[in-house]
């Protein structure tokens, strides 16, 4: 086919193209290892001389097929699947940073990512500076240092739902000679493709909408193939200089546009091993086959829920980028397909934290779960749950008010979801 396929077709068909007499459905290659005829054939794989499967920690056909589908959805050149979103974020950073390096992230990010950056990476000698993504360009540029290796942000922050101005951030990163990494978990490539706005690398927690059914924890990293590592060779020696663990091979010289993902596979996956099981990738693929159908439905339902909440007298505040009163409304209209962001709505109840908790406990259809972004409507109080480890100051920095309720609107009938909210309001 000559024209690029539409996202709907990629969701349904991409990644696995069976030949004559092969299974129509992506098979689960539940095998740790792959057979060769000669010792020489296998040696070439170990030297990265030839491409092929030899051990599932490095590559597996089921995992590869699903990674390829996600790469195509994002419009990237290559992708790697990881065992979780956390592993994807970690790998995306340490593929570029080592002890003594520095990077910059927006402060409105997922709580787990915030801990990873501010505690665990710090212990490994990698330092982060958090910036306000809505700050003027000059203020963000002030955070850059000679050893800064990347800029990181979330398309739609979890749970504060700030919309990242990707074009602005990409421009800032590129003016300083570093790539922009965007966590696109909440928008998904159905609603936004960060590469179209200048991002260089995209990460996902596939656990959320991509899986969509709360079945399998997973992650993905996608490379646009556009960042010119060679042009900033001294900044990224891990990619441009010889790797002693592969007989002095240099990734950019040997693999060109595939350098970043090849290094993540051949070096990080080899040494750290955070691979998904082929079974989980199979489940993720089933989720991806309906992503294009589910996302618009999540967004239509969330819009109705947000409009209902905005009018309700017991609601102190509401945040949903699809509401014209939202400070990020214009940006959301510009950056997201049909202006649709995601199915998550956040709000606070009048009377503060305690009344918010009573409200959550009164919901029946919406279940309290440590999860977000699946077909079943669910709810969480981040200050008591996911963001429990953060101080009040860090909570506010991450855009999480103590009374914030994260309401993840599912694909049920909007009328039933709203009726559930109504009966819970009646009880407080
Ligand atoms: C959930 C989430 C993560 C972490 O992903 P896991 O699959 O839970 O490890 C990272 N980023 C965002 C935006 C998330 O929502």
């Amino acid at each position: 086919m000559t024209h690029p396929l539409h996202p709907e077709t990629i969701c349904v068909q991409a990644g696995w193209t069976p030949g004559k007499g092969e299974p129509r459905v992506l098979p689960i290659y539940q095998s740790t290892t792959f057979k060769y005829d000669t010792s020489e054939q296998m040696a070439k794989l170990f030297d990265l001389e030839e491409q092929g499967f030899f051990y599932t920690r490095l590559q597996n056909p089921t995992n590869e097929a699903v990674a390829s589908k996600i790469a195509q959805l994002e419009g990237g050149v290559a992708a790697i699947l990881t065992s979780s979103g956390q592993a994807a974020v970690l790998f995306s950073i340490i593929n570029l940073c080592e002890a003594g390096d520095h990077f910059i992230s927006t402060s409105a990010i997922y709580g787990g990512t915030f801990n990873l950056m501010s505690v665990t990476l710090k212990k490994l000698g990698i330092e982060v500076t958090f910036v306000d993504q809505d700050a003027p360009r000059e203020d963000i540029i002030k955070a850059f240092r000679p050893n800064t290796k990347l800029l990181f942000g979330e398309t739609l922050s979890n749970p504060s739902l700030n919309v990242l101005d990707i074009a602005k951030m990409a421009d800032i990163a590129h003016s300083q000679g570093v790539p922009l990494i965007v966590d696109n978990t909440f928008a998904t490539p159905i609603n936004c493709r960060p590469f179209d706005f200048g991002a260089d690398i995209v990460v996902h927690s596939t656990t959320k909408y991509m899986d969509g059914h709360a079945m399998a924890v997973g992650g993905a990293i996608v490379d646009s193939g556009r960042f010119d590592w060679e042009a900033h060779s001294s900044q990224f020696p891990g990619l441009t200089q010889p790797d002693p663990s592969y007989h002095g091979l240099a990734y950019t010289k040997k693999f060109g546009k595939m350098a970043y993902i090849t290094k993540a596979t051949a070096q990080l996956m080899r040494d750290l091993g955070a691979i998904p099981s082929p079974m989980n990738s199979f489940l993720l693929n089933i989720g991806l086959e309906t992503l294009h159908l589910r996302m618009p439905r999540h967004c239509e339902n969330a819009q109705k829920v947000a409009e209902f909440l905005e009018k309700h007298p017991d609601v102190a505040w509401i945040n949903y980028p699809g509401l014209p009163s939202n400070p990020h409304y214009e940006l959301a209209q510009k950056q997201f397909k049909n202006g649709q962001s995601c199915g998550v709505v956040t709000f606070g109840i009048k009377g503060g934290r305690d009344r918010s908790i009573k409200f959550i406990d009164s919901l029946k259809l919406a279940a309290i779960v440590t999860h977000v972004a699946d077909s079943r409507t669910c709810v969480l109080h981040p200050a008591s749950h996911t963001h429990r480890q953060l101080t009040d100051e860090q909570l506010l920095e991450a855009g999480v008010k103590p009374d914030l309720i994260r309401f993840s609107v599912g694909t049920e009938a909007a009328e039933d979801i709203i009726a559930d909210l109504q009966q819970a309001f009646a009880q407080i």
Side-chain angles (χ1 to χ4, degrees):
M1 258 164 278
T2 49
H3 67 91
L5 292 174
H6 290 82
E8 295 82 354
T9 311
I10 296 172
C11 279
V12 178
Q13 295 245 5
W16 173 249
T17 312
K20 179 172 173 248
E22 284 184 342
R24 182 69 190 95
V25 173
L26 170 66
I28 309 167
Y29 284 88
Q30 197 69 44
S31 179
T32 61
T33 196
F34 302 85
K35 177 194 168 277
Y36 289 90
D37 290 334
T38 68
S39 164
E40 171 75 12
Q41 286 172 346
M42 184 95 99
K44 284 196 170 138
L45 298 176
F46 271 97
D47 280 349
L48 305 182
E49 283 294 323
E50 275 177 18
Q51 275 221 327
F53 301 103
F54 55 113
Y55 193 56
T56 284
R57 170 149 45 74
L58 285 124
Q59 273 173 321
N60 170 283
T62 309
N63 294 353
E64 283 297 297
V66 182
S68 163
K69 178 177 282 190
I70 294 173
Q72 291 177 57
L73 276 174
E74 287 287 6
V77 294
I80 181 175
L81 297 188
T82 57
S83 54
S84 67
Q86 284 297 113
V89 173
L90 169 69
F91 279 28
S92 74
I93 295 168
I94 63 171
N95 210 26
L96 299 176
C97 293
E98 54 186 53
D101 286 342
H102 170 257
F103 70 99
I104 299 169
S105 171
T106 62
S107 54
I109 49 171
Y110 176 66
T113 304
F114 191 90
N115 283 330
L116 166 67
M117 292 175 171
S118 58
V119 179
T120 302
L121 286 177
K122 194 172 173 199
K123 285 186 194 165
L124 297 176
I126 300 169
E127 215 188 318
V128 63
T129 301
F130 292 109
V131 295
D132 173 2
Q133 64 193 47
D134 294 327
R137 185 191 151 89
E138 313 79 67
D139 290 5
I140 296 175
I141 285 178
K142 278 189 202 131
F144 280 82
R145 305 176 189 172
N147 61 342
T148 302
K149 299 296 159 91
L150 62 96
L151 179 59
F152 185 98
E154 293 179 0
T155 311
L156 274 162
S157 57
N158 175 9
S160 53
L161 299 180
N162 287 0
V163 181
L164 188 74
D165 188 336
I166 300 171
K168 165 184 144 184
M169 295 309 248
D171 186 52
I172 292 172
H174 297 159
S175 76
Q176 304 300 307
V178 304
L180 173 66
I181 303 183
V182 170
D183 183 332
N184 197 33
T185 298
F186 267 25
T188 83
I190 298 302
N191 288 343
C192 178
R193 297 206 317 177
F195 296 156
D196 294 345
F197 300 92
D200 301 286
I201 290 150
V202 158
V203 293
H204 280 281
S205 165
T206 62
T207 316
K208 315 294 165 55
Y209 290 116
M210 282 193 169
D211 170 305
H213 303 79
M215 292 186 293
V217 172
I221 309 171
V222 191
D223 184 13
S224 66
R226 287 202 304 244
F227 193 83
D228 189 351
W229 310 106
E230 284 285 333
H232 309 277
S233 181
S234 60
Q235 278 287 84
F236 304 104
L239 282 159
T240 60
Q241 304 303 313
D243 179 351
S245 67
Y246 280 109
H247 311 308
L249 159 162
Y251 293 97
T252 44
K253 291 175 188 82
K254 177 123 182 130
F255 300 105
K257 286 186 181 310
M258 307 296 280
Y260 180 89
I261 293 295
T262 305
K263 176 172 180 280
T265 304
Q267 196 185 70
L268 298 183
M269 218 35 118
R270 180 197 63 188
D271 296 352
L272 302 173
I275 54 137
S277 77
M279 179 71 206
N280 276 4
S281 299
F282 173 82
L283 293 171
L284 169 58
N285 187 50
I286 296 178
L288 287 168
E289 286 185 12
T290 57
L291 185 65
H292 60 299
L293 300 173
R294 290 183 286 107
M295 286 314 290
R297 172 73 178 197
H298 277 291
C299 296
E300 282 158 31
N301 278 358
Q303 186 71 31
K304 288 179 190 163
V305 165
E307 284 166 11
F308 163 78
L309 289 170
E310 188 170 43
K311 287 195 213 95
H312 201 283
D314 270 326
V315 172
W317 57 270
I318 164 136
N319 186 11
Y320 186 65
L323 293 175
S325 58
N326 190 281
H328 292 122
Y329 177 78
E330 300 294 334
L331 180 57
Q333 293 301 311
K334 191 178 83 184
Q335 201 168 261
F336 300 142
K337 190 176 169 198
N338 302 324
Q340 291 187 321
S341 53
C342 67
V344 182
V345 173
T346 60
F347 63 101
I349 303 253
K350 283 184 189 155
R353 193 176 177 136
D354 292 345
R355 214 158 163 245
S356 291
I357 291 173
K358 177 137 199 288
F359 175 81
I360 292 174
D361 288 346
S362 306
L363 290 164
K364 294 195 172 87
L365 190 90
I368 301 175
V369 294
T370 308
H371 187 59
V372 63
D374 87 80
S375 309
R376 287 158 284 247
T377 295
C378 57
V379 65
L380 185 90
H381 182 233
S384 325
H385 307 136
T386 45
H387 288 60
R388 212 183 163 76
Q389 314 307 335
L390 303 195
T391 63
D392 275 3
E393 200 179 56
Q394 286 174 325
L395 275 179
L396 288 176
E397 220 183 299
V400 182
K401 297 185 184 125
D403 65 344
L404 184 148
I405 294 172
R406 184 180 75 185
F407 196 74
S408 173
V409 181
T411 55
E412 306 94 338
E415 294 76 8
D416 292 338
I417 301 166
I418 290 170
D420 189 32
L421 290 165
Q422 265 165 334
Q423 68 80 26
F425 276 123
Q427 292 189 51
I428 56 169

